[in-house]
């Protein structure tokens, strides 16, 4: 009887560990992020908007953005910085799974949903219900928040 109980307890722990261990949480994304030039340039080719004109403009656009745009994620807010200007968005975590974390940002007119994904275990991608502009950008951890002005 004791042995049977031990086996059931062990299986319960293993099953719960398998369920929780694979889920991401916001801790994975906390920190400062900047656009990764090479990965973003490659990923942008998957956009339905990508064409010859975009292929010509994209390298310069990404380089310009790399110097001015950063995103900082804390436990309470997402901070978007472009040059010296910062916009703070308090959020709540809606859900998480093995591949993503979904947050909700309350805005005046509507609720914005943002989905963060881990790319190759070291980079971040995110999609927003407010805009598809960032869907093909890949972000790398940065050392500081301040961008070039």
């Amino acid at each position: 009887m004791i042995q049977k109980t031990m086996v059931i307890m062990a299986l319960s722990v293993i099953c719960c560990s398998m369920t929780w261990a694979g889920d991401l949480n916001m801790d994975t994304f906390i920190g400062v992020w900047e656009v990764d030039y090479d990965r973003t340039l490659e990923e942008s080719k998957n956009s339905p908007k990508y064409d010859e004109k975009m292929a010509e403009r994209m390298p310069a656009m990404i380089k310009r953005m790399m110097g001015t745009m950063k995103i900082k994620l804390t436990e309470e807010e997402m901070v978007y910085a472009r040059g010296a200007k910062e916009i703070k968005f308090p959020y709540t975590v809606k859900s998480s799974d093995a591949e993503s974390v979904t947050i909700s940002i309350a805005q005046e007119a509507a609720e914005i949903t943002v989905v963060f994904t881990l790319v190759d275990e070291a980079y971040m991608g995110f999609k927003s219900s407010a805009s598809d502009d960032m869907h093909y950008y890949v972000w790398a951890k940065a050392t500081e928040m301040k961008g070039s002005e």
Side-chain angles (χ1 to χ4, degrees), residues 8-86:
I8 291 170
M9 287 175 51
L11 287 172
S12 298
V13 169
I14 290 169
C15 288
C16 290
S17 297
M18 288 170 62
T19 302
W20 294 325
D23 285 358
L24 294 176
N25 60 47
M26 275 309 288
D27 291 344
T28 306
F29 302 104
I30 299 296
V32 178
W33 298 85
E34 61 190 355
V35 176
D36 182 277
Y37 177 81
D38 293 325
R39 288 175 174 267
T40 297
L41 190 58
E42 191 60 35
E43 186 64 24
S44 67
K45 295 174 185 174
N46 295 321
S47 170
K49 297 178 184 178
Y50 194 81
D51 57 18
E52 283 185 37
K53 217 179 211 184
M54 191 169 211
E56 292 173 15
R57 294 187 335 226
M58 202 63 175
M61 270 179 25
I62 296 170
K63 283 185 181 178
R64 195 170 48 250
M65 286 174 39
M66 283 174 54
T68 62
M69 187 168 57
K70 300 235 185 334
I71 291 175
K72 179 179 181 181
L73 295 165
T74 70
E75 292 177 1
E76 296 92 27
E77 63 188 7
M78 176 176 161
V79 181
Y80 170 78
R82 188 150 195 175
K85 185 178 179 182
E86 289 187 3

